[in-house]
Structure formats: C-alpha cells, structure tokens
Amino acid sequence: MQEITNFVHDIFIMIVGVSFIEILMPEGNIARYVKYVISLSVLGTMLLPIVKFIA
C-alpha cells in the first residue's frame, strides 16, 4: 500500500512541477524541446514502478 501512495505522490509532484515550468517557459522553438524532455521525464516516472515490479 505504501508503494502505491509513493507512486501517486511522485506523479502529483511531477505534475505540479511541470505545470510550474510550463507557466514560466517562454514561447518559441526552445519550448517544443523543453516539453519533449518534460514528457520523457513524466513517462519515466510513470514506468518506474513497472520496471521495479518486473526486476
């Protein structure tokens, strides 16, 4: 049960952080790359419990 709570907490913190970064990020070409890196970070955070379960 603690693992699920930690997972939800990590996702919540990631979403709040991403929202804050997107608010501060200027528009332009660099924004597209920053969003790509942020998306990879969120995907990694979501897949980490699955990788731990398999390994």
Side-chain angles (χ1 to χ4, degrees):
M1 186 65 180
Q2 185 66 27
E3 293 177 9
I4 295 171
T5 305
N6 288 340
F7 175 67
V8 171
H9 182 263
D10 291 344
I11 295 296
F12 177 75
I13 295 297
M14 179 67 77
I15 289 172
V16 170
V18 167
S19 299
F20 184 71
I21 290 171
E22 286 186 357
I23 289 171
L24 295 176
M25 189 172 39
E27 294 296 321
N29 288 337
I30 194 79
R32 188 171 59 176
Y33 298 113
V34 171
K35 286 182 182 181
Y36 178 72
V37 171
I38 290 171
S39 298
L40 288 177
S41 300
V42 171
L43 182 64
T45 302
M46 294 177 104
L47 291 178
L48 188 61
I50 296 171
V51 172
K52 285 183 180 179
F53 181 71
I54 292 173

